[in-house]
Structures are given as C-alpha cells and as structure tokens.
Amino acid sequence: MHYLKFERIPRATISRLAVYVQELEVMEQQGLKVISSEKLAHLCGVNPSQIRKDLAYFGEFGVRGVGYYVHELRGAIRQSLGLDRNWNVVLVGVGNLGRALLRHNMLRKRGFVIVAAFDCDPFKIGEEIAGLEVNCSSKLPESTQEMNVEIGVITTPPERAQRAANYLIEGGIKGIVNFAPARITAPDYVSVEYVDFIHHMFSVAFNITQKQIKGLF
Amino acid sequence: MHYLKFERIPRATISRLAVYVQELEVMEQQGLKVISSEKLAHLCGVNPSQIRKDLAYFGEFGVRGVGYYVHELRGAIRQSLGLDRNWNVVLVGVGNLGRALLRHNMLRKRGFVIVAAFDCDPFKIGEEIAGLEVNCSSKLPESTQEMNVEIGVITTPPERAQRAANYLIEGGIKGIVNFAPARITAPDYVSVEYVDFIHHMFSVAFNITQKQIKGLF
DNA sequence: AGTGCATAGTGAAATTTTTAACAATCACCG
DNA sequence: CGGTGATTGTTAAAAATTTCACTATGCACT
Ligand SMILES: NC(=O)c1ccc[n+]([C@@H]2O[C@H](COP(=O)([O-])OP(=O)(O)OC[C@H]3O[C@@H](n4cnc5c(N)ncnc54)[C@H](O)[C@@H]3O)[C@@H](O)[C@H]2O)c1
Ligand SMILES: NC(=O)c1ccc[n+]([C@@H]2O[C@H](COP(=O)([O-])OP(=O)(O)OC[C@H]3O[C@@H](n4cnc5c(N)ncnc54)[C@H](O)[C@@H]3O)[C@@H](O)[C@H]2O)c1
C-alpha cells in the first residue's frame, strides 16, 4: 500500500519527470496507449528503475504485468508537478529573446499564460507583440499584484537582472525563471531557476575536448 | 603535489565551473583582484569545499592564505574546459529563437562563432541575418565539413529536431546543443546537450506548489 | 628569520542518488 | 479458476557527490 510520502524529492527527479511528460505527449500523439518503464526509459535515456523510483515519490500509477497507460501517466505526472492548472506569468525585458518567448505558444500550451510584458526602453513601451502591449517596468509591481501573477520570467541583459528581480519580488511573485546569465538574490520564499544555455555550450565543448584528449577522434 | 588526475569529472562540476566563470567575469569588471573560495561560494550559491573540490580536478590555482587571483582563475577554468580557443558552430532552424541567437553577440564573446545558418523554408533561404546568409539545410553536411565545424545548434520545431541532428551528424559534427523539446539519438562520439527551459518552468511551478502545500505562503 | 593568521588543498565521513534485485500482483489463457 | 508470463513497486546495495575536518602553505608583520 502506498502512503503519501514526505520525503524530499530530488531536483533531478523533477527534471526527469518533465522529460517523461514530453515523451509521453509524443506517444499520445502517435496513438500509443501503453508503455513499460523499460521502453520509456530507453526513449528518455535513463534507467528503468529510475523511472519507477521517480514515480514512486508521488504514487502508484502503473499496472503490474502491463505497464503504464500513457494518457493516465501523463496526467498523473502533471498533477504531481502542479501543472494541472494555469499559471499567470509576466515577462520582463522585451528584446530578442523576450520576443521569441512571447511569439511562441509553447508556454501557453503547457499552462503558463503570459499576461503582461514589461520593458524600460521608452521606444518599446506601447508596442504590441503577440496581442500583448509592452508596459513600463515601473508599473510591474502594481500590475502583478492586481493580476494575481505567480511567476516572472527575466529576459533583460545580465546587469539588469537583479533590478528586474527586485520589481518582481516587490510585486509579490513566488517564482522567477531567469534567462540572463547572472545570479540573482531573492528571499527564501521565492523559487529561482536559471536557464543558461551557455553552460550547455561549455559542456559540449568540454566533452569534445575530453574525447580528443582520450583519442576518441 | 598535484598530479594530473584521470578521474571522471562529474557533469555537475562542469556546470558549476561555468557559473564560477560567469561570476569571476563580473568581479573582473568590477576591478576585484582576489577572491576566496568562501566568498565565491556565497556568490554562486554553493559550498566553499565544493569549489575547491571542483577546481582540484584540474589543478592548483589558488594561493593558500590568500585566495584565488580572479583573472588567473578565470583563465585556468576556461583552459580546463577547453574554452581557450574558438569553436565553429552552425545553427539549424532560423525561426524566432534561431534569430535571437544569431543576433546576440553572447556566443561569439565566449568563443563560439556561428559560421553558418540553415533552414528548410524556401522563404527564409537567402535572407541575411547578423551578417550571415541563411542556407538550404540540404547543403549542411557539405558545408560543415568544408568549414571545420564542430558544434551544431538545433532550433527547429521538436518534430524536426532528429532530422536536423541527422544532417549535422552526416556533416561530421562532434557536439549538438538542442533547443527543441525532443530527445534525439546520435552516435556515441557525438555529445548531445539539451536546453529545455520548459523544465525550469515546471520546476518553479512545482516548488511553488510544494511550498503552498507545506503552508509557507 | 620567526610567528601568527588566513585560506587552499585533500582524505575521510556523510549524504544523496542511482542501480540492481526481487517479491507482489495483474492480465491472460487454457 | 489456477497457472504463467510480464512488469510494477519496493527494499537493499552500490555508486556518486557533497560536506566536513584537518593539514599544509604562503603572506605579512615583527
Ligand atoms: N538572444 C538570445 O538568443 C539569448 C539566449 C539565451 C539567453 N539570453 C539572455 O537573455 C537576455 C536577453 O537577451 P536578448 O537577446 O533578448 O537581449 P536584448 O538586448 O535584445 O533585450 C534586452 C531587453 O531588456 C530590456 N531591459 C533592460 N533593462 C531592463 C529593466 N531594468 N527592466 C525591463 N526591461 C529591461 C531592454 O530594453 C531590452 O529590450 C540576456 O541576458 C541574454 O544574455 C539571450
Ligand atoms: N521561441 C522561443 O522562445 C523558444 C524558447 C526555447 C525553445 N524553443 C524551441 O526552439 C525551437 C524553435 O523555436 P522557434 O520559436 O524559433 O520556432 P519557429 O517555428 O519560429 O522556427 C523554427 C524554424 O525551423 C525551421 N525548420 C523546420 N524544419 C527544419 C529542418 N528540417 N531543417 C532546417 N530548418 C527547419 C523552420 O523553417 C523555422 O524557420 C522549437 O522547438 C521551440 O520549442 C523556442
């Protein structure tokens, strides 16, 4: 019997669950109904035990001898992660990257609804992008409180990231996703995540160098 | 005495080294000459021992009783990661995100030089972005071999990511950074990294949900 | 030169995370 | 309606990673 656990859930587990959801969505589109931990593991590039363990933190979602029902499992994971509802999001910094995010429907499809965008550049304020008017960032704190926004996305230059974060914190935001390559400080009650693709470039460069040293090329 | 180690280096270490470099660059701009592992750790949000351990994989870069010389340490880490040279990069998929990447000088500043961009859309082929002409993706394998390209960046829609990867692999690329939310398969000699910001959105949403359950709000 | 002080480097301990192994259980079949 | 095969959930072992505690060493000051 499975009792609700209050173990701390590894951050790596959360990250993998997101991958599982991704792959489950592909399967669902392909009309696949059932999947075993072994097959899913192979697709996601992990160990099958890992998948069963990750899922065990949240409940029992499979059928022994059969596997997991794709649709059901996707739903279960989404619910476990708190993704079975919409989240109001604001974006700070309407530059190249900010625009790319605003124009894509990827966020909305996953339940993250960008309800406002802010910039400090007077030339950008008033512009309309993807049906959203760019506002002056000084109005941010007020707006987020009014609109019940919980997550802020920072796409300003790195040296402005902390300032953007301060606005968001003042606005009562609970989580920040920072695309600028700069650490920011925030109170404990605010969750901060860093999206830093340069790290991944570094990683690849390092891996290639290593392989070269080891003579694999 | 420090002898060159052939231990496997944790992936997490690489990721942290990238953060250290980031912060060291900020310090250097501020004119700071010396930093202790304790202070750097605080800035990067990690444990001081962790920093010393991470660096120990590559050598001895500090001065006991003093700390690390900022400029020197930055150089040492960059060299350790294989970043003390330029890397030729190609980009596949000139959409919103691809353009944002092409327009930013962030990559070049770090030694990653985008030498060509490819798309399969006839309307985009021939267009010039940031001084680079968009080429037809069918020419990719040939071009990459000619230009001695080692890294490929994928910014196509997810369902096209594997195809893009295949072109890159055919072109003799050694590493791939994939921005599309889709796993890709590649031979062992190709390093693949995934940049998936949706995972970070999930993470933040999950953290907020957890805190709410625990009654922290 | 010697002393004190600060901080890097390092081996061992603690903790966390992953993997392996297996008992439990479900669907299916005769 | 019990046996069979498959695959989960779970416990135990292994591996990896992080943190601690301590030693070594360089610098500044006397
Ligand atoms: N361009 C990319 O492909 C890319 C990819 C990954 C990460 N990043 C990072 O994302 C960030 C943005 O990149 P970009 O290419 O969009 O840069 P950008 O210069 O095009 O855009 C930055 C925007 O932020 C605005 N801004 C500056 N300070 C602000 C403040 N205090 N409040 C509100 N808005 C403010 C600017 O007016 C500008 O519109 C950078 O930190 C960059 O390093 C960029
Ligand atoms: N837009 C964002 O802010 C953002 C952020 C993170 C990740 N992503 C991901 O990055 C990818 C690209 O996003 P986008 O917003 O730029 O999408 P987009 O639709 O604007 O651009 C995709 C481009 O890829 C091209 N393409 C398609 N198939 C191709 C192929 N086989 N070879 C070469 N080019 C091909 C298309 O012609 C198009 O120009 C998507 O997978 C998206 O999920 C986007």
Side-chain angles (χ1 to χ4, degrees), chain A residues 12-13 16-17 19-21 23-24 27 35-62 67-68 73 77:
Chain A
T13 291
R16 281 191 299 267
L17 287 171
V19 177
Y20 307 158
V21 170
E23 291 304 317
L24 288 167
M27 287 173 209
I35 185 90
S36 68
S37 60
E38 180 148 358
K39 291 216 187 76
L40 180 59
H42 184 255
L43 283 168
C44 299
V46 301
N47 183 297
S49 297
Q50 182 95 80
I51 292 193
R52 299 202 293 274
K53 188 101 214 203
D54 285 341
L55 296 175
Y57 285 112
F58 298 99
E60 300 186 9
F61 307 125
Y68 301 91
L73 181 57
I77 297 178

Side-chain angles (χ1 to χ4, degrees), chain A residues 96-104 106 179, chain B residues 92-99 118-121 124 137 140 154-161 163-164 167 178-182 195-198:
Chain A
N96 291 311
L97 182 61
R99 273 159 218 267
L101 289 170
L102 288 168
R103 291 202 183 113
H104 222 78
M106 151 200 293
F179 282 79
Chain B
V92 197
V94 187
N96 291 311
L97 181 60
R99 274 159 217 268
F118 300 90
D119 205 295
C120 64
D121 182 346
K124 285 175 183 155
S137 32
L140 195 158
I154 298 178
T155 50
T156 64
E159 62 277 13
R160 299 297 189 89
R163 189 181 303 186
Y167 280 132
N178 180 18
F179 282 80
V195 185
D196 198 340
F197 88 105
I198 284 284

Side-chain angles (χ1 to χ4, degrees), chain A residues 94-97 119-120 124 155-156 158 160 180-181 197, chain B residues 100-101 104 106:
Chain A
V94 187
N96 291 311
L97 182 61
D119 205 295
C120 64
K124 285 175 182 155
T155 50
T156 63
R160 298 298 188 91
F197 89 106
Chain B
L101 289 170
H104 222 78
M106 153 200 291

Side-chain angles (χ1 to χ4, degrees), chain A residues 13-213:
Chain A
T13 291
I14 303 305
S15 174
R16 281 191 299 267
L17 287 171
V19 177
Y20 307 158
V21 170
Q22 197 175 81
E23 291 304 317
L24 288 167
E25 279 170 5
V26 174
M27 287 173 209
E28 214 171 346
Q29 276 185 346
Q30 291 171 352
L32 191 66
K33 295 273 183 265
V34 181
I35 185 90
S36 68
S37 60
E38 180 148 358
K39 291 216 187 76
L40 180 59
H42 184 255
L43 283 168
C44 299
V46 301
N47 183 297
S49 297
Q50 182 95 80
I51 292 193
R52 299 202 293 274
K53 188 101 214 203
D54 285 341
L55 296 175
Y57 285 112
F58 298 99
E60 300 186 9
F61 307 125
V63 181
R64 298 181 191 203
V66 177
Y68 301 91
Y69 292 102
V70 173
H71 180 76
E72 206 176 273
L73 181 57
R74 170 171 172 273
I77 297 178
R78 286 176 55 85
Q79 186 166 34
S80 303
L81 292 179
L83 299 169
D84 53 343
R85 68 176 187 89
N86 276 357
W87 293 83
N88 287 343
V89 177
V90 291
L91 186 142
V92 198
V94 187
N96 291 311
L97 182 61
R99 273 159 218 267
L101 289 170
L102 288 168
R103 291 202 183 113
H104 222 78
N105 66 345
M106 151 200 293
L107 277 175
R108 160 145 320 177
K109 238 175 16 196
R110 307 306 178 90
F112 297 97
V113 185
I114 303 183
V115 295
F118 300 90
D119 205 295
C120 64
D121 181 347
F123 288 102
K124 285 175 182 155
I125 295 166
E127 197 184 331
E128 190 177 307
I129 298 167
L132 222 59
E133 195 183 317
V134 179
N135 289 300
C136 174
S137 34
S138 64
K139 288 201 216 140
L140 196 157
E142 197 188 347
S143 304
T144 53
Q145 281 170 344
E146 270 174 25
M147 289 172 139
N148 190 30
V149 175
E150 288 172 287
I151 299 176
V153 170
I154 298 177
T155 50
T156 63
E159 63 275 14
R160 298 298 188 91
Q162 183 64 57
R163 190 181 302 186
N166 294 345
Y167 279 132
L168 290 167
I169 293 160
E170 200 187 324
I173 236 99
K174 292 172 189 145
I176 293 175
V177 178
N178 180 18
F179 282 79
R183 297 278 118 181
I184 57 180
T185 55
D188 280 349
Y189 62 85
V190 176
S191 306
V192 181
E193 285 281 322
Y194 298 91
V195 184
D196 199 339
F197 89 106
I198 284 283
H199 294 192
H200 297 273
M201 299 298 301
F202 283 12
S203 239
V204 166
F206 174 70
N207 288 333
I208 295 176
T209 308
Q210 287 289 298
K211 284 182 188 165
Q212 273 164 352
I213 290 171

Side-chain angles (χ1 to χ4, degrees), chain A residues 199-200 203-204 206-207, chain B residues 8-18 54 57 81 183 191-194:
Chain A
H199 294 192
H200 297 273
S203 239
V204 166
F206 174 70
N207 288 333
Chain B
R8 210 188 106 287
I9 292 155
R11 134 165 320 224
T13 290
I14 304 303
S15 174
R16 281 190 300 266
L17 287 172
D54 285 340
Y57 285 112
L81 292 178
R183 297 278 120 181
S191 306
V192 182
E193 284 281 323
Y194 298 91

Side-chain angles (χ1 to χ4, degrees), chain B residues 174-186:
Chain B
K174 292 173 190 146
I176 294 175
V177 178
N178 180 18
F179 282 80
R183 297 278 120 181
I184 58 182
T185 56

